Amino acid sequence: MTNEASAPASSPHAQFEFLPASNGEPAIVRAAGDIDLTNVGQFQAALDHAAATSSAITADMTAVAYCDSATVRALIMAARQTRLTIQVSTTGPISETLLKVSGLDQIATVVTLD
Amino acid sequence: VALTADAEPGSGTAALFAADEEVGRDLAAVNWAATPLGLPGSWPQSLQTAVDILLSSRFSMWMAWGPELTFFCNAAYRRNTLGRKYPWALGRPASEVWAEIWDDIGPRIDTVLATAKATWDEALLLFLERSGYPEESYHTFSYSPLRDDAGTVVGMLCVVSEETERVIGERRMATLRDLGSDPSVVRTEEETLDFAGRQLDRNRRDLPFTLTYLFGDGGTARLAGSTGIVAGHPAAPAALMAGDPDPVWPVATLLRGESALVSLVSARFAALPAGAWSEPPIQALVAPLAQQGGPPYGFVVAALNRYRSLDEGYRAFAGLVAGHLAAGIASARSYQDQQRRAEELAELDRAKTTFFSNISHEFRTPLTLIMGPVQELRGRLAGADPAVREEMEVISRNGLRLGKLVNMLLDFSRIEAGRMQASYEPADIGQVTAELASVFRSAVDRAGLAFMVDCPAQPEPVYLDRGMWEKVVLNLLSNALKFTFDGSIRIAVRGEGSQAVLTVADTGIGIPEQEMPRLFERFHRIENTRSRSNEGSGIGLALVQELVQQHGGTITASSTEGVGTTFTIRLPFGHAHLPAGALVPAGHAAAVSASADPFVQEALRWLPGTAQDGGGTGTHSVHEEIPPGNDTDSSAADSSVLAGLARPARVLVADDNADMREYLARLLRSAGYLVTTVTDGQAALHAVRAGAPDLVISDVMMPRLDGLGLVAALRADARTAAVPVLLLSARAGQEASIEGLRAGADDYLVKPFSAAELLARARASVELARFRNRESQFRRTLIDSLQEGFFLTDQEGTILEANQAFMFMVGHSPDGLPYRWPHPWIPDPDADPDGWAEAAQAFENYKGHGGGRYTIPVRHPDGHTIWLACSSASLPSPDGHGRLFVGTARDVTAERLAGQREATLAGFAAALAASGEISEMLTTAAREIAAAVHASQVTTALWSSDGKAAITGWPRLAPGQGASAAVTGALEVIRHQPAASVAVLPGDVGASLLAAPLDGAGSSAIAAEFPAGRPVSAEVRELFSVLTSHLAQVLAKARDYEQARTVALTLQHAILAPTELPHGFAARYTPAVPPLEVGGDWYDVIPLPGQRTGVVAGDCVGRGLPAAAVMGQLRSASQAVLLRAPGPAEALADLDIFASRIPGAECTSVFCAILDPAAGTVVYSCAGHPPPILVTPAGDYHLLDQARSLPLAMLPDDWRRSEATVTLPPGATLMLYTDGLVERRNQPLDKGIDAAAVTVAEHAQDHPDDVADHVMSAMTPAAGYADDVAVLIYRHPPAPLTVQVPAEDPACLALLRARLRQWLSAAGIDSREATDIMIAAGEAAANAVEHATVGRPAGAAPVQISLTARAAPTMVQLTVQDTGSWRSPPADRDQPAPGTRGHGLIFMHALMNDVTINPSEHGTTVTLTKDLKP
């Protein structure tokens, strides 16, 4: 066994982007890269902020390479506060299986993009 | 829903030709079985569609189809062109139908058939025999190719518009225009006929030859002009005698003023010239040259174009030519008459002067002989009887008076003849005048009047001819005494600057205002005035004026009726103004000569108490004897002129001087004119614009707008430019008159002028104007008779004049002329920016290039847009300023729409040809149609066999968005209509829809939507029909093609390698010959018993379909033999046998191997195939180049195939390929293999798919692969992954993921499966982090997380282990409480096939297993 001394470059951490609501369009939280324990809090904060300022949120997850149940939990929390639409990609981590077992597909609108 | 489909559903021949009832019926009657096309029921769809389009169109079209180019045409073509050949022509070979012009059109049709490119001919001259004779006709047409269902050109479509009327009309118009273009107004008869002849000779098509005869005395006709025929030809005798019983031309008929049509088919007309044609004319129209109110001037013989019928237009043309010749002759003769009259008048004037001069002399001699003896007798009879003395006095007085009159006449004659001999001597004008005045004192005193003489001596001398001056002063004083009954007469001389001024003022009756202008006129007498005597010659004041003028002075009069009159004479001091030769030194002649006596004597006689002869009535006869002068002459002439006019001429007089105005008015009225007077130029302008008079007589100096300004304003406006203007001015001299004429005045008269002169000039001007009017009347009739639009514009684009045809086309009234740019019919820049831009561009060109040809859109007031083709040419403006443009306009809307439709259809076809599959094609079609017909939305629907409609549209429908209910309904309604139907249907909220089926089978349709307020025009509907018909054809072809392609692909895939490769494999295949997806190369992966896998790569000889056929059989065979054979060598040996029996299979190269992943070995054998490459994860590579032998079926009988075995290291990559990948011209095979091996080595740890992509792209030659290429890659499962990270490190999770991601890729795990594995592993690792951080006692050893991953060919197993303590999940797994990571375990279970959790006091181990799809 070897301990790794440094993180390989191929592990991009997530970037979060918040676009406020305008012209009747919902607020958008856009995530990209990997979301895990270390940064799911930022994602949650971005969703909370969006939910506080807008009656509807779109979470754009199409550029997310990795996420786990903590991310799904954050999305569920947001969906309880506001009208949530989640955009996912067919090859991304949030698969149909995950949506079903988490029940996320029942409380949020899911749009799958190619 | 209102359905207005064009065609009714039906079947058989009738339905095919249903688009036109009449032509359709005749087409149906053709015996088609006898033509190469066969019965209509058997016709291909493309022919049926073409025939339907042809019959539906209102544009003139014919088409030819098939090997004999069988002829079809529509109703428009029948009507316009085919004529009597209908219906004979239907179904016949085109070369037979148009045999007479086949030399012209045959090669064009051949070109279309050979090149599939359309031809275009504009106004081609063709001699059609459609009316029973070869007819000159012009056609603009295009031939475009027609294709059959297979896309082969088998026919052609001709869209034709006949331009015969236009071409011939333009030609005739040009001749008439040229005839009218004579720049000189006045010509002799000969010049006129010469000019006309040159113009007629330029049109030998309509006038092969012409002869112009003029009648002379006795009805003899003399040849005065000819064109196109030589002098001396039997048809052109120099003279036709009146009595000839059988003249060449029907002189008697012509003399009666009637036209005649003469046949030229007789011996006397042999060898006639043919004009512009190859055959001589067969008819001539002979028309009289009519003279108004008289017998014809002559006649013109116009030989007729034998290739045109003598229709109304031709007759009118010949008539206009004759009319023009007649007008020219009339003009020339009238000019000659005028010239002669003017010369006669001048001669008369000269004779009159000579007569007066002579007669005066003749009178003086007898007078002298009377007066001498009378004076003698008076002396002798001094003591005689008082009665005798009284008689003597009467004789003496009247003798004196007669002498005075004769002298005055003589003076005039001298002045007029320029023979007045004056001798100017320096004199004190005050003194001389005072002496003359004193002579009159007694007479004035006796009349009881005060006589004031104020004539002081002047400081400077005035040069006077004493005799003349005496007459001046005595005449004025005599005049004053005559008309003054009480008050005074005052004569005064004073100096005023450089002039001496003499005034003679009285307090007499004064002169009526209207008489003032004629005061100094010769022989003019003021009638009905109170005077001391009725006698008077009317020449006194005229003579005074002449004499004063001789002295270089001026005389003016001012008078107020009842108050008095003052005459003022101004003479310059000194002699600078006098001719030096007439100066003499100061003499010593008596101030008053003997000639003063008659004046005084006469005056005394008027006075009461001195009248010896009863008031002087006896002198009345003298007045009568004086010739009455010009007045009478001119009024006689005037009345004769006016009698010749149809109505009295109207004259407008403009003068600010009321006297002058009144005077002129009276003068003109007396001559029979209708006179209107105005006080200035502005008022005159208004009056002329309200109604143009025949003449304007205007003073030059006027307030507001002077005479020159008036002329300029009149000339600037086309409506008034022709009104003649006669200017009157007090300014004499050539310069002044030139200025007036330059301003545009027709004539110029200097005041003072005589009444006769004015009337003569007025008469000339009116006559000229009348003449001009006749010309313009002729012109107007001419242009109004044209069917083409005609207009006249100035440089600013203002339409000054236009004929009825033009105004009708643009839909505006001629009353609105002139129309300034932009004309009201030009499209509005806001509503129709394109149309406006087009018109504005044409206007700029027109301004820039001075006319030319252009086509502009015109917005007719009724709402539709028409297109006018205009042709204009510039000519100098008649007023000499700038240029005018004469243009013709023709409505080319139909042609333009047809042209646009052609262009649109061509663009549409090109766009469709460029699009590939059907859905793309439909989107393209929708876009193109929307643009072409300006639809807001175009929607297409394709119904599949299960009844579902695939909807596409333009603008594109958003995903999931369907068509509107109205559109869907329309598509449903129209889809079952027969092909080529078009329906107009109501859309949503006032919108309208156009819908058409795209086949006759009810499985496709198209609809175009137009916004509310945009009704669908017939043009749009027709365009839509044409485009959708074409789309239907293309769509039918595309569907056939697509179907065939699907079948082919299905078959290809069936013989190609498996589409689903087992885990760990990747393959690429590139056939050398598109669009086939198979070639001679192949690869195969065959699962074998015992977890083993057979892999094969092969290469048949050849390429393309034949090689693929062989390949398919060998591939099937190899699958079978591998399942049976114990090893690769035996399998190849079996294939050898197989290949020897399949033609073309010999010499196929094959590499065959059996993989055993569990054992990590490869057993292989090679039949002449390039060696596969084996690469380790570290990037070392070697070739599988053992066990090599010859290709299939090439092995000698006693040879055996061998085998070799090679070990597969974990994570190794094996690549099989065919030689197309590595073989390069001029390069050893080894080099290519080496390059491929290096590329694989560089990507030794990448996913097999990525390796395949890298190899294919790295090896691609610059020009692409020339041969089939097959590549098969196998990745052996890699060595297990082991990673350990400290849980406290925040980056530990990212680290784990990165390593796992890389390993999964190297193991060739598919991306969906890899993502699932990543998430499950991530959840396990996250749990481990929590174990390490939550609830750990302080000082505990740092927690380590380790991850292990193992790959087998069909499964992946991961182990996540930590050194912390396990935390149980909540009881309810489905309802995770907020704040917990309850989903983690659920996700692991959902994503993995097996999850095992092993908690212990030393930590937790999670084992995750995922089965890979086979």
Side-chain angles (χ1 to χ4, degrees):
Chain A
M1 278 199 190
T2 54
N3 263 333
E4 296 294 330
S6 62
S10 63
S11 177
H13 256 72
Q15 306 268 316
F16 302 110
E17 194 183 357
F18 169 66
L19 305 171
S22 71
N23 293 334
E25 295 291 319
I28 298 174
V29 174
R30 188 169 289 152
D34 287 9
I35 312 175
D36 61 14
L37 275 185
T38 59
N39 58 3
V40 70
Q42 293 171 45
F43 181 54
Q44 179 82 62
L47 288 174
D48 288 347
H49 179 69
T53 57
S54 173
S55 60
I57 307 179
T58 296
D60 181 352
M61 309 297 282
T62 52
V64 173
Y66 170 83
C67 68
D68 59 14
S69 55
T71 306
V72 172
R73 192 183 72 86
L75 288 169
I76 290 171
M77 300 285 279
R80 285 178 172 182
Q81 298 171 55
T82 184
R83 207 142 44 77
L84 177 68
T85 301
I86 307 172
Q87 295 180 340
V88 299
S89 88
T90 49
T91 56
I94 305 178
S95 61
E96 208 173 321
T97 313
L98 281 200
L99 290 165
K100 272 199 179 132
V101 300
S102 64
L104 193 54
D105 61 346
Q106 289 163 32
I107 56 169
T109 307
V110 180
V111 178
T112 306
L113 303 173
D114 285 331
Chain B
V1 174
L3 186 65
T4 55
D6 278 334
E8 291 304 316
S11 61
T13 312
L16 173 59
F17 302 131
D20 185 288
E21 198 184 325
E22 200 175 346
V23 179
R25 193 172 56 231
D26 289 326
L27 275 173
V30 170
N31 179 14
W32 291 108
T35 73
L37 303 187
L39 290 170
S42 67
W43 289 359
Q45 181 60 44
S46 40
L47 174 54
Q48 296 187 21
T49 307
V51 170
D52 194 68
I53 291 176
L54 183 80
L55 293 181
S56 308
S57 179
R58 285 182 291 130
F59 292 97
S60 203
M61 295 181 185
W62 68 281
M63 59 177 258
W65 186 279
E68 284 185 4
L69 292 171
T70 304
F71 181 90
F72 296 81
C73 73
N74 65 4
Y77 188 78
R78 169 199 178 181
R79 185 178 60 245
N80 296 336
T81 311
L82 201 53
R84 305 206 312 202
K85 294 196 181 191
Y86 185 90
W88 165 85
L90 298 177
R92 287 184 190 275
S95 56
E96 194 181 321
V97 174
W98 283 129
E100 69 267 31
I101 54 171
W102 197 248
D103 286 349
D104 284 317
I105 66 172
R108 287 175 168 81
I109 294 174
D110 289 344
T111 305
V112 174
L113 295 177
T115 64
K117 281 184 184 151
T119 64
W120 174 259
D121 282 278
E122 198 158 343
L124 185 73
L125 169 59
L126 296 171
F127 288 94
L128 301 187
E129 292 194 26
R130 56 182 171 187
S131 313
Y133 62 93
E135 184 180 356
E136 179 193 9
S137 68
Y138 297 86
H139 299 265
T140 291
F141 55 87
S142 88
Y143 290 150
S144 36
L146 290 174
R147 295 168 192 273
D148 64 10
D149 292 2
T152 312
V153 177
V154 291
M156 70 96 213
L157 174 69
C158 172
V159 181
V160 58
S161 69
E162 174 154 4
E163 309 222 69
T164 309
E165 292 297 324
R166 177 179 73 78
V167 172
I168 292 176
E170 277 182 3
R171 187 170 76 209
R172 290 175 183 164
M173 180 62 204
T175 299
L176 294 173
R177 185 192 59 219
D178 291 346
L179 277 176
S181 69
D182 191 348
S184 62
V185 177
V186 285
R187 281 178 177 277
T188 65
E189 196 171 288
E190 196 178 14
E191 284 169 339
T192 301
L193 289 177
D194 277 357
F195 176 84
R198 284 197 300 278
Q199 311 315 318
L200 297 180
D201 199 27
R202 287 163 60 182
N203 184 0
R204 288 204 186 174
R205 289 194 165 180
D206 289 314
L207 300 167
F209 69 82
T210 70
L211 299 166
T212 306
Y213 283 90
L214 295 179
F215 290 122
D217 296 333
T220 300
R222 168 179 62 80
L223 181 61
S226 68
T227 67
I229 190 166
V230 291
H233 191 283
L240 295 163
M241 295 306 158
D244 190 341
D246 181 25
V248 179
W249 305 109
V251 177
T253 310
L254 292 158
L255 265 171
R256 288 197 302 271
E258 292 164 18
S259 298
L261 192 59
V262 177
S263 169
L264 302 181
V265 189
S266 70
R268 107 196 315 178
F269 294 117
L272 280 176
W277 309 110
S278 52
E279 297 288 319
I282 50 175
Q283 275 188 318
L285 187 68
V286 194
L289 304 178
Q291 178 179 201
Q292 252 188 338
Y297 294 117
F299 60 90
V300 61
V301 177
L304 299 174
N305 176 1
R306 66 183 291 160
Y307 302 106
R308 293 296 308 168
S309 67
L310 182 61
D311 53 14
E312 277 306 301
Y314 206 169
R315 257 182 209 284
F317 168 69
L320 286 168
V321 167
H324 203 95
L325 290 173
I329 292 164
S331 157
R333 291 193 177 171
S334 131
Y335 172 70
Q336 278 169 349
D337 288 351
Q338 276 192 356
Q339 283 282 92
R340 198 162 51 235
R341 219 165 21 227
E343 278 164 21
E344 282 167 3
L345 278 175
E347 183 56 39
L348 196 65
D349 207 41
R350 276 195 299 279
K352 182 190 72 184
T353 305
T354 312
F355 168 74
F356 279 133
S357 172
N358 291 345
I359 203 86
S360 305
H361 277 288
E362 292 302 321
F363 275 140
R364 271 157 69 103
T365 311
L367 265 176
T368 311
L369 293 176
I370 291 166
M371 288 309 288
V374 165
Q375 295 305 330
E376 188 75 13
L377 276 176
R378 276 177 75 196
R380 286 209 212 147
L381 296 175
D385 183 290
V388 174
R389 284 210 320 273
E390 187 68 14
E391 298 282 347
M392 281 306 297
E393 283 308 305
V394 171
I395 293 170
S396 171
R397 272 201 312 275
N398 284 289
L400 280 174
R401 182 168 150 68
L402 190 56
K404 180 180 158 229
L405 280 169
V406 169
N407 281 337
M408 282 194 343
L409 278 174
L410 195 56
D411 284 343
F412 266 121
S413 301
R414 282 181 181 147
I415 291 169
E416 222 154 78
R419 287 188 281 107
M420 177 66 105
Q421 296 293 319
S423 307
Y424 303 103
E425 56 183 87
D428 179 346
I429 187 170
Q431 185 199 333
V432 169
T433 305
E435 282 175 22
L436 287 169
S438 67
V439 175
F440 252 76
R441 179 162 294 278
S442 59
V444 176
D445 286 347
R446 196 177 302 174
L449 302 173
F451 189 44
M452 289 161 283
V453 179
D454 178 15
C455 300
Q458 295 301 310
E460 269 188 84
V462 173
Y463 280 72
L464 298 173
D465 178 295
R466 299 291 286 266
M468 290 189 196
W469 187 245
E470 189 178 285
K471 285 172 189 154
V472 169
V473 175
L474 295 178
N475 260 302
L476 289 176
L477 286 174
S478 155
N479 213 56
L481 183 63
K482 189 171 174 185
F483 296 103
T484 305
F485 296 89
D486 41 36
S488 62
I489 293 172
R490 182 174 187 275
I491 180 165
V493 171
R494 64 178 194 276
E496 234 181 57
S498 60
Q499 289 181 320
V501 180
L502 167 76
T503 51
V504 176
D506 63 51
T507 58
I509 56 167
I511 302 160
E513 201 173 293
Q514 69 271 14
E515 294 288 350
M516 288 300 284
R518 304 189 68 180
L519 198 56
F520 296 104
E521 210 169 281
R522 251 179 275 178
F523 308 116
H524 180 74
R525 298 189 63 219
I526 299 166
E527 306 296 337
N528 306 320
T529 33
R530 182 177 171 226
S531 67
R532 292 188 187 274
S533 162
N534 280 338
E535 66 190 23
S537 59
I539 60 174
L541 285 174
L543 181 63
V544 166
Q545 188 184 44
E546 294 285 356
L547 296 175
V548 169
Q549 282 169 2
Q550 290 277 325
H551 280 83
T554 60
I555 178 165
T556 54
S558 66
S559 180
T560 308
E561 236 180 321
V563 176
T565 304
T566 302
F567 288 91
T568 306
I569 292 171
R570 294 165 188 278
L571 296 180
F573 288 119
H575 56 77
H577 54 286
L578 298 170
L583 300 179
V584 295
H588 26 266
V592 181
S593 71
S595 62
D597 194 37
F599 286 93
V600 180
Q601 290 297 323
E602 190 178 42
L604 285 171
R605 258 188 324 106
W606 303 329
L607 300 174
T610 61
Q612 293 102 331
D613 61 357
T617 45
T619 59
H620 215 74
S621 58
V622 174
H623 175 65
E624 293 300 325
E625 281 167 17
I626 299 299
N630 289 351
D631 270 333
T632 318
D633 268 354
S634 58
S635 61
D638 285 341
S639 54
S640 73
V641 165
L642 296 174
L645 300 174
R647 57 172 175 78
R650 288 176 300 117
V651 181
L652 178 72
V653 173
D655 201 315
D656 57 328
N657 183 312
D659 292 343
M660 192 63 170
R661 211 159 54 226
E662 287 305 313
Y663 165 63
L664 289 171
R666 205 157 44 79
L667 192 61
L668 291 163
R669 279 188 189 115
S670 68
Y673 294 98
L674 294 174
V675 183
T676 314
T677 58
V678 291
T679 55
D680 60 48
Q682 200 63 52
L685 199 54
H686 282 304
V688 174
R689 283 178 179 163
D694 294 295
L695 173 66
V696 174
I697 298 180
S698 170
D699 193 14
V700 171
M701 299 296 290
M702 284 187 296
R704 293 218 287 171
L705 180 65
D706 68 13
L708 297 180
L710 172 63
V711 172
L714 290 174
R715 295 297 180 250
D717 186 338
R719 292 171 300 171
T720 58
V723 175
V725 179
L726 171 55
L727 281 184
L728 306 178
S729 173
R731 290 177 57 200
Q734 215 175 4
E735 256 176 58
S737 63
I738 285 174
E739 188 186 359
L741 294 174
R742 186 177 291 149
D746 296 79
D747 208 345
Y748 193 90
L749 205 51
V750 180
K751 294 181 207 170
F753 47 83
S754 73
E757 202 173 2
L758 177 81
L759 289 173
R761 301 276 184 99
R763 188 187 61 210
S765 291
V766 167
E767 262 189 304
L768 184 62
R770 287 276 165 105
F771 180 68
R772 276 188 197 155
N773 275 343
R774 275 204 303 279
E775 285 278 281
S776 83
Q777 210 85 41
F778 169 76
R779 198 167 53 120
R780 173 131 291 278
T781 313
L782 178 69
I783 66 169
D784 270 343
S785 72
L786 296 175
Q787 291 195 342
E788 281 210 343
F790 172 92
F791 58 88
L792 182 72
T793 62
D794 66 13
Q795 277 170 312
E796 272 66 55
T798 304
I799 297 203
L800 305 168
E801 213 179 315
N803 69 351
Q804 287 162 0
F806 182 85
M807 297 317 299
F808 180 76
M809 277 193 268
V810 301
H812 282 258
S813 163
D815 298 341
L817 287 167
Y819 285 101
R820 296 190 184 286
W821 175 265
H823 316 128
W825 51 83
I826 295 298
D828 186 70
D830 297 326
D832 180 8
D834 292 349
W836 160 254
E838 201 142 354
Q841 179 64 43
F843 179 58
E844 287 306 317
N845 285 345
Y846 153 85
K847 281 210 298 191
H849 302 105
R853 283 171 172 271
Y854 50 92
T855 302
I856 54 161
V858 161
R859 186 86 178 145
H860 196 273
D862 72 9
H864 70 264
T865 296
I866 62 167
W867 289 86
L868 291 186
C870 301
S871 168
S872 68
S874 77
L875 50 98
S877 171
D879 65 8
H881 299 296
R883 302 187 73 76
L884 292 179
F885 297 87
V886 180
T888 57
R890 194 163 55 92
D891 184 341
V892 293
T893 313
E895 286 98 316
R896 188 168 172 105
L897 285 177
Q900 274 180 340
R901 189 180 355 263
E902 289 261 308
T904 306
L905 186 56
F908 184 65
L912 289 190
S915 43
E917 19 153 27
I918 289 180
S919 67
E920 187 191 341
M921 179 191 293
L922 287 175
T923 308
T924 305
R927 185 188 67 218
E928 295 287 319
I929 291 176
V933 303
H934 302 292
S936 55
Q937 171 81 44
V938 173
T939 309
T940 66
L942 275 182
W943 282 271
S944 54
S945 51
D946 59 6
K948 280 190 182 163
I951 305 285
T952 55
W954 189 272
R956 283 183 203 279
L957 301 165
Q961 183 198 341
S964 74
V967 171
T968 310
L971 292 168
E972 280 292 346
V973 164
I974 200 72
R975 67 185 268 209
H976 297 296
Q977 297 299 316
S981 316
V982 172
V984 181
L985 301 167
D988 288 325
V989 283
S992 26
L993 290 170
L994 267 181
L998 290 176
D999 54 48
S1003 64
S1004 52
I1006 187 165
E1009 205 170 357
F1010 298 87
R1014 277 251 337 260
V1016 178
S1017 68
E1019 287 83 6
V1020 163
R1021 184 181 155 150
E1022 188 154 347
L1023 182 57
F1024 181 78
S1025 164
V1026 168
L1027 294 179
T1028 54
S1029 293
H1030 181 81
L1031 174 61
Q1033 266 186 308
V1034 175
L1035 188 63
K1037 269 188 221 163
R1039 285 178 127 185
D1040 289 349
Y1041 175 75
E1042 198 123 308
Q1043 215 162 11
R1045 191 166 173 271
T1046 309
V1047 169
L1049 286 182
T1050 310
L1051 284 172
Q1052 285 182 21
H1053 287 142
I1055 59 171
L1056 198 62
T1059 47
E1060 291 270 311
L1061 288 171
H1063 165 72
F1065 283 92
R1068 295 293 182 269
Y1069 189 87
T1070 311
V1073 188
L1076 280 182
E1077 296 194 359
V1078 288
D1081 289 11
W1082 88 95
Y1083 62 86
D1084 211 348
V1085 180
I1086 305 144
L1088 297 175
Q1091 300 288 312
R1092 295 177 311 151
T1093 306
V1095 292
V1096 178
D1099 183 355
C1100 298
V1101 177
R1103 302 197 301 175
L1105 209 53
V1110 173
M1111 179 275 282
Q1113 297 178 65
L1114 281 178
R1115 183 172 163 270
S1116 301
S1118 69
Q1119 286 178 348
V1121 299
L1122 263 169
L1123 281 169
R1124 257 186 344 109
E1130 288 87 348
L1132 285 183
D1134 286 351
L1135 277 180
D1136 277 329
I1137 298 165
F1138 201 86
S1140 66
R1141 298 184 179 178
I1142 302 173
E1146 300 98 336
C1147 214
T1148 298
S1149 77
V1150 182
F1151 178 87
C1152 182
I1154 295 174
L1155 303 177
D1156 188 343
T1161 57
V1162 180
V1163 185
Y1164 67 92
S1165 183
C1166 181
H1169 201 80
I1173 301 162
L1174 182 66
V1175 183
T1176 68
D1180 302 325
Y1181 65 87
H1182 70 271
L1183 305 177
L1184 273 55
D1185 52 1
Q1186 306 301 305
R1188 303 178 64 173
S1189 188
L1190 295 167
L1192 294 187
M1194 303 305 285
L1195 223 54
D1197 285 348
D1198 51 346
W1199 284 33
R1200 291 290 169 267
R1201 296 205 178 263
S1202 59
E1203 283 180 1
T1205 304
V1206 65
T1207 306
L1208 288 170
T1213 308
L1214 176 66
M1215 180 169 83
L1216 280 63
Y1217 55 89
T1218 55
D1219 59 5
L1221 180 74
V1222 294
E1223 202 170 46
R1224 296 290 179 275
R1225 201 180 280 259
N1226 305 326
Q1227 181 184 298
L1229 201 60
D1230 292 356
K1231 207 173 165 194
I1233 295 173
D1234 229 40
V1238 168
T1239 308
V1240 176
E1242 279 169 2
H1243 301 280
Q1245 296 196 35
D1246 289 358
H1247 192 279
D1249 269 326
D1250 295 338
V1251 179
D1253 287 341
H1254 282 297
V1255 169
M1256 289 300 285
S1257 72
M1259 299 300 291
T1260 308
Y1265 288 110
D1267 200 355
D1268 297 341
V1269 176
V1271 166
L1272 179 67
I1273 288 168
Y1274 168 68
R1275 170 67 47 76
H1276 194 55
L1281 170 71
T1282 310
V1283 196
Q1284 185 170 12
V1285 293
E1288 288 81 5
D1289 183 349
C1292 68
L1293 291 175
L1295 244 165
L1296 283 178
R1297 282 200 306 274
R1299 291 298 304 273
L1300 182 58
R1301 197 175 265 146
Q1302 199 177 20
W1303 184 85
L1304 288 168
S1305 174
I1309 313 283
D1310 146 272
S1311 79
R1312 179 74 258 164
E1313 290 174 324
T1315 304
D1316 290 349
I1317 292 168
M1318 290 281 295
I1319 293 170
E1323 294 290 351
N1327 276 339
V1329 171
E1330 283 194 346
H1331 299 162
T1333 52
V1334 181
R1336 286 284 291 175
V1343 172
Q1344 295 285 327
I1345 304 174
S1346 54
L1347 167 75
T1348 310
R1350 283 181 190 82
T1354 57
M1355 58 93 89
V1356 173
Q1357 190 172 62
L1358 291 91
T1359 311
V1360 181
Q1361 210 169 6
D1362 67 59
T1363 54
S1365 46
W1366 174 253
R1367 296 167 67 81
S1368 294
D1372 188 349
R1373 282 166 40 161
D1374 292 335
Q1375 292 288 318
T1380 69
R1381 295 184 31 76
H1383 277 119
L1385 196 55
I1386 303 170
F1387 282 6
M1388 284 189 260
H1389 280 287
L1391 297 173
M1392 306 306 276
N1393 296 94
D1394 188 60
V1395 180
T1396 316
I1397 299 167
N1398 236 329
S1400 77
E1401 66 270 32
H1402 303 298
T1404 309
T1405 303
V1406 177
T1407 306
L1408 303 163
T1409 308
K1410 175 83 173 172
D1411 294 337
L1412 301 176
K1413 68 170 188 237

